[in-house]
C-alpha cells in the first residue's frame, strides 16, 4: 500500500551494507566481523517480488506469454529464500495477511478496479486475443542467483499493466507449507505488517518487504527495514574465500529519525501521506506546526501502533491447528465469522480473474460451490451465535465493467428447508466429483478435477440459458494446444475453470476447519474424503505449456472428455431443475 515517495525521501539516509557472504562468513573489508542478520519476511511482498522477477526474466513481448506458472513461482520462491540462507542470513518468520481491517476497503476495491481497467486496456488493444509463442515463458530452467536478485531490468512496454496471477499469494503459501520453511510460515489473524513489526521489535532483526509503510512502525533502536528491490548479490573481487556477497540498502529507522532530528518517522510520514506534494524538508517544517485534523492524525497513529499480540496466534483465533496454512481469504472469512455481531457483514474479496470483461464474470460458474461454503458458514454461525441473526455475506467481484458488492444470503438454520437443502447440495457436489473421477480414473487427479470444473462451467451455461462453450474452445483448455493466438473465449473458459477449482479448495479447507470444530453435519465427511486428493495450486492450475506436456504424456482423449461434458442424464437434469442455487447470476 505504501506512502508515496517516502522510501525515496529516506534513501539518502540508508546505508549500503554487506549482509552476508556465501560459502563461509568472514571478515569484511574493514576487518569487522559480519554477524548473520535475521530477516522477518513480509509474505505477500515476497510473492509479488518473485512474480515480478520472473516476468522481468522472461523474453516475452506479449502479456500472456510472460506469465510464469504457479509451479515456477513456487520453485523460485524457495530458491530465493535458500539463496539468502546460503549467504548466512537467518529467516525467522514469514508472515501472511489473515485479515485486513475494514478501513483498507477503499484500497482493496481500488486495486480490483485498477486490475479491471488494465484488463480492459489489454482487450481493447488485442480484441482478437493474446499472442502466445511456441515457447511460452521461454525458459523453464531455474533462476540463477543474479536473476533472483537483479532488479535493474525494466519491463517490456507491452507487459506494463499486466494483472498478476489471481492466486499468487495462496500458491506461494502452498509451496512454503510443503518445505522446511513451513515451521516459520504463518497466516496471521490480522495484517502481516503488524506482526512483522512486532516480531522485529521483540526479537531484533530486519523486516524484508516492498512496502514503505514498514518504515513508519516503531521497530526499536537497533532494527531496520530492507526492501526486496534493494537486495543485491555481487562477486567479491577482494577475497577468494567466498563466491559472492549479499548487499542491500538498510534503513535503520530509529537512527534515520535521529539524523533528521525528529522524535520518530510517524508524524513525518503522516504529513508526507496527507500532502504528497511536500518535499522532505517541507514535511519536516510542517511537523513544527499543530496538526490540523486531529481525528485523522489519531487514526493514522492507530494504524501503525504495534498492538499487544502476545498469546495471539492463528490457532487461537481461528480454533484450528497451528500452521494450518489456511488460504488468506478463508482465514479472513473465519475471523469475521468469529467477530461479526448479529446482522454484521462478512466481506469476501474474490481474487481478480483474468477473464473476458465483456462477458459475465468467470466467478459466476462456481456460485453453487461457494454457496455451500456460505451455508457451512451459516451453520457454524448458528453454533457460535445461536441467539443472534445470521451475519450478511457480501462478495466483491467484477460485474460488468465495475467491481461491486453482491449480497449472498445463506438460509438460516431455522428455515424449514435449510437442513434439507444444505445436505442435498453437499451430496450433489460429492456425487458430481466422484462421477468425474470414476469416469476418468486412468488419468491424473489434476485432469480429473479439471474435467469436473469444465463440466460445472458447461452446466452453468445450460442452467442459465446461455450458449455454452464451443467444442473448439473445450479442446485447448484441456490439452494446452492453443496455437499462436489465445482467443478471449479460451481465456474466459480457463478463468471459469480456475474459479471452480479455487472454490473447491476453499470448501476443502473450510471442511477441515469445521471438522475440528466437531460440527457433525451429515455429508461433510463424505465430501471431505472426496476432496482429499485435491492437489496444491501449483499442481491444480498448471500453465498451458505445462498442461500441454502433461496431456501429451497421459495421452488425453479429448473426444471422450467432450462427450462427457455435453452429456447430461435425464435424472440429473430433473434434480437440477428443482434447485435455484446454481442460477445465481444471469447477467
Amino acid at each position: 500500500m505504501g506512502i508515496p515517495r517516502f522510501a525515496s525521501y529516506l534513501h539518502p539516509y540508508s546505508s549500503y551494507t554487506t549482509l552476508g557472504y556465501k560459502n563461509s562468513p568472514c571478515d569484511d573489508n574493514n576487518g569487522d566481523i559480519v554477524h548473520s542478520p535475521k530477516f522477518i519476511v513480509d509474505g505477500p511482498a515476497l510473492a509479488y517480488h518473485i512474480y515480478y522477477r520472473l516476468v522481468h526474466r522472461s523474453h516475452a513481448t506479449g502479456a500472456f506469454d510472460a506469465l510464469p506458472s504457479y509451479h515456477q513461482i513456487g520453485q523460485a520462491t524457495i530458491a530465493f529464500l535458500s539463496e539468502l540462507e546460503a549467504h548466512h542470513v537467518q529467516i525467522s518468520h514469514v508472515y501472511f495477511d489473515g485479515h485486513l481491517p475494514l478501513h483498507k476497503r477503499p484500497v482493496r476495491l481500488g486495486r480490483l478496479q485498477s486490475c479491471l481497467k488494465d484488463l480492459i486496456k489489454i482487450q481493447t488493444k488485442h480484441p482478437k486475443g493474446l499472442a502466445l509463442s511456441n515457447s511460452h515463458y521461454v525458459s523453464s530452467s531455474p533462476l540463477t542467483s543474479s536473476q533472483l536478485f537483479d532488479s535493474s531490468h525494466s519491463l517490456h512496454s507491452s507487459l506494463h499493466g499486466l494483472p498478476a496471477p489471481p492466486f499468487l499469494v495462496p500458491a506461494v503459501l502452498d509451496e512454503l507449507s510443503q518445505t522446511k520453511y513451513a515451521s516459520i510460515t504463518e497466516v496471521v489473524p490480522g495484517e502481516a505488517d503488524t506482526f512483522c513489526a512486532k516480531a522485529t521489535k521483540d526479537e531484533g532483526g530486519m523486516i524484508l518487504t516492498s512496502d514503505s509503510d514498514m518504515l513508519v512502525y516503531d521497530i526499536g533502536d537497533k532494527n531496520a527495514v530492507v526492501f526486496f528491490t534493494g537486495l543485491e548479490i555481487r562477486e567479491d573481487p577482494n577475497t577468494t574465500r567466498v563466491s559472492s556477497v549479499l548487499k542491500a540498502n538498510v534503513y535503520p529507522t530509529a537512527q534515520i529519525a535521529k539524523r533528521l532530528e525528529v522524535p520518530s518517522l510517524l508524524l513525518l510520514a503522516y504529513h508526507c501521506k496527507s500532502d504528497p506534494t511536500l518535499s522532505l524538508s517541507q514535511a519536516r517544517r510542517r511537523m513544527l506546526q499543530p496538526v490540523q485534523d486531529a481525528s485523522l492524525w489519531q487514526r493514522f497513529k492507530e494504524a501503525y501502533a504495534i498492538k499487544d499480540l502476545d498469546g495471539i496466534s492463528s490457532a487461537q483465533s481461528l480454533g484450528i491447528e497451528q500452521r494450518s496454512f489456511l488460504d488468506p481469504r478463508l482465514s479472513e472469512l473465519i475471523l469475521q465469522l468469529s467477530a461479526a455481531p448479529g446482522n454484521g457483514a462478512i466481506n469476501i474479496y474474490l481474487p481478480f480473474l483474468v477473464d473476458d470483461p465483456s462477458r459475465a464474470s468467470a466467478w459466476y460458474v462456481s456460485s453453487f460451490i461457494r454457496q455451500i461454503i456460505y451455508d457451512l458458514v451459516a451453520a457454524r454461525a448458528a453454533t457460535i451465535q445461536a441467539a443472534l441473526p445470521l451475519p450478511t455475506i457480501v462478495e466483491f467481484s467484477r460485474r460488468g465493467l465495475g467491481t461491486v458488492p453482491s449480497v449472498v444470503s445463506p438460509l438460516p438454520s431455522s428455515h424449514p428447508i435449510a437442513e434439507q437443502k444444505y445436505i442435498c447440495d453437499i451430496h450433489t457436489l460429492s456425487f458430481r466429483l466422484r462421477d468425474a473421477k470414476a469416469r476418468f480414473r486412468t488419468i491424473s487427479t489434476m485432469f480429473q478435477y479439471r474435467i469436473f470444473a469444465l463440466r460445472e462451467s458447461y452446466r452453468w451455461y445450460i442452467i442459465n440459458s446461455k450458449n455454452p462453450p464451443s467444442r473448439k474452445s473445450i479442446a485447448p483448455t484441456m490439452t494446452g494446444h492453443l496455437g499462436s493466438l489465445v482467443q478471449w473465449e479460451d481465456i474466459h473458459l480457463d478463468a471459469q475453470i480456475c474459479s471452480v477449482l479455487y472454490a473447491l479448495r476453499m470448501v476443502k479447507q473450510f471442511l477441515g476447519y469445521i471438522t475440528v470444530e466437531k460440527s457433525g453435519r451429515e455429508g461433510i465427511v463424505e465430501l471431505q474424503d472426496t476432496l482429499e486428493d485435491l492437489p496444491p495450486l501449483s499442481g491444480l492450475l498448471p500453465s498451458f505449456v505445462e498442461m500441454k506436456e502433461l496431456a501429451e504424456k497421459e495421452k488425453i482423449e479429448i473426444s471422450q472428455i467432450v462427450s462427457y461434458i455435453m452429456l447430461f442424464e435425464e435424472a440429473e437434469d430433473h434434480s437440477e431443475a428443482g434447485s435455484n442455487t446454481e442460477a445465481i447470476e444471469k447477467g
Side-chain angles (χ1 to χ4, degrees), residues 44-98:
L46 169 66
Y48 277 91
H49 175 74
I50 296 300
Y51 164 69
Y52 284 115
R53 290 283 66 72
L54 289 168
V55 172
H56 277 90
R57 181 228 192 170
S58 170
H59 302 299
T61 57
F64 201 74
D65 244 357
L67 284 174
S69 70
Y70 290 116
H71 174 72
Q72 290 168 324
I73 293 169
Q75 293 298 302
T77 300
I78 303 306
F80 179 86
L81 296 178
S82 297
E83 192 65 25
L84 287 178
E85 290 184 316
H87 285 81
H88 297 276
V89 169
Q90 178 187 352
I91 303 170
S92 60
H93 300 283
V94 184
Y95 288 129
F96 288 86
D97 300 317

Side-chain angles (χ1 to χ4, degrees), residues 357-376:
S358 68
R359 301 185 181 196
S361 170
W363 281 113
Y364 291 141
V365 301
S366 61
S367 296
F368 170 69
I369 301 175
R370 296 199 313 280
Q371 185 68 46
I372 290 176
I373 299 174
Y374 302 142
D375 287 339
L376 291 170

Side-chain angles (χ1 to χ4, degrees), residues 525-543:
V525 173
E526 177 189 36
L527 182 55
Q528 193 170 27
D529 289 344
T530 305
L531 290 169
E532 182 64 31
D533 61 351
L534 186 74
L537 286 170
S538 61
L540 187 63
L541 301 174
S543 69

Side-chain angles (χ1 to χ4, degrees), residues 6-260:
F6 194 59
S8 62
Y9 284 161
L10 301 187
H11 181 75
Y13 300 91
S14 65
S15 58
Y16 188 59
T17 305
T18 296
L19 298 177
Y21 295 100
K22 193 170 185 177
N23 291 341
S24 64
C26 64
D27 291 351
D28 68 10
N29 295 333
N30 298 320
D32 298 325
I33 297 296
V34 178
H35 298 282
S36 298
K38 181 166 63 177
F39 277 161
I40 293 88
V41 181
D42 178 346
L46 169 66
Y48 277 91
H49 175 74
I50 296 300
Y51 164 69
Y52 284 115
R53 290 283 66 72
L54 289 168
V55 172
H56 277 90
R57 181 228 192 170
S58 170
H59 302 299
T61 57
F64 201 74
D65 244 357
L67 284 174
S69 70
Y70 290 116
H71 174 72
Q72 290 168 324
I73 293 169
Q75 293 298 302
T77 300
I78 303 306
F80 179 86
L81 296 178
S82 297
E83 192 65 25
L84 287 178
E85 290 184 316
H87 285 81
H88 297 276
V89 169
Q90 178 187 352
I91 303 170
S92 60
H93 300 283
V94 184
Y95 288 129
F96 288 86
D97 300 317
H99 179 38
L100 295 178
L102 188 60
H103 68 79
K104 294 292 178 72
R105 177 189 289 184
V107 176
R108 301 177 78 171
L109 292 178
R111 286 183 174 179
L112 288 172
Q113 192 62 30
S114 178
C115 287
L116 178 55
K117 289 181 179 179
D118 291 337
L119 182 61
I120 292 171
K121 288 179 182 178
I122 291 175
Q123 188 184 51
T124 301
K125 187 176 180 179
H126 306 282
K128 293 183 178 181
L130 299 178
L132 181 67
S133 69
N134 292 329
S135 58
H136 172 64
Y137 195 73
V138 179
S139 174
S140 59
S141 59
L143 292 176
T144 64
S145 298
S146 59
Q147 290 170 329
L148 279 169
F149 291 85
D150 183 6
S151 302
S152 60
H153 298 300
S154 59
L155 282 176
H156 189 282
S157 59
S158 66
L159 305 183
H160 285 289
L162 177 69
F167 314 118
L168 171 60
V169 172
V172 169
L173 185 59
D174 265 4
E175 191 70 29
L176 291 172
S177 71
Q178 301 172 68
T179 69
K180 65 178 183 178
Y181 299 108
S183 62
I184 60 171
T185 301
E186 187 173 0
V187 179
V188 298
E191 287 187 271
D193 289 7
T194 306
F195 281 77
C196 286
K198 174 67 171 174
T200 305
K201 187 169 186 178
D202 289 350
E203 303 169 17
M206 301 179 182
I207 299 174
L208 185 56
T209 185
S210 297
D211 192 348
S212 61
D213 277 337
M214 296 310 308
L215 295 168
V216 185
Y217 286 92
D218 174 14
I219 57 174
D221 293 341
K222 297 181 180 180
N223 304 316
V225 174
V226 174
F227 293 107
F228 281 104
T229 53
L231 290 171
E232 295 179 353
I233 288 182
R234 293 176 174 265
E235 299 300 318
D236 189 356
N238 299 320
T239 178
T240 59
R241 290 191 289 170
V242 295
S243 60
S244 59
V245 181
L246 178 66
K247 292 179 173 286
N249 285 96
V250 176
Y251 294 75
T253 53
Q255 296 177 31
I256 291 174
K258 290 179 181 179
R259 292 179 62 185
L260 290 171

Side-chain angles (χ1 to χ4, degrees), residues 281-387:
S281 59
Q282 289 172 329
R284 289 174 65 191
R285 288 195 295 271
R286 188 73 62 86
M287 292 177 66
L288 301 175
Q289 305 171 11
V291 174
Q292 294 182 353
D293 191 332
S295 61
L296 186 62
W297 165 233
Q298 183 61 33
R299 289 197 298 272
F300 187 84
K301 287 193 296 182
E302 291 174 355
Y304 293 98
I306 300 180
K307 303 173 181 64
D308 183 9
L309 304 176
D310 291 340
I312 295 179
S313 68
S314 57
Q316 292 169 319
S317 297
L318 304 181
I320 56 180
E321 293 183 5
Q322 184 74 10
R323 313 295 180 194
S324 62
F325 306 105
L326 275 180
D327 184 286
R329 282 176 175 78
L330 186 57
S331 167
E332 192 165 38
L333 187 154
I334 295 172
L335 282 167
Q336 290 181 88
L337 171 62
S338 301
N343 291 322
I346 293 178
N347 298 314
I348 306 298
Y349 298 84
L350 296 177
F352 182 82
L353 292 174
V354 178
D355 58 7
D356 183 347
S358 68
R359 301 185 181 196
S361 170
W363 281 113
Y364 291 141
V365 301
S366 61
S367 296
F368 170 69
I369 301 175
R370 296 199 313 280
Q371 185 68 46
I372 290 176
I373 299 174
Y374 302 142
D375 287 339
L376 291 170
V377 168
R380 178 68 189 130
T383 64
I384 296 176
Q385 309 166 358

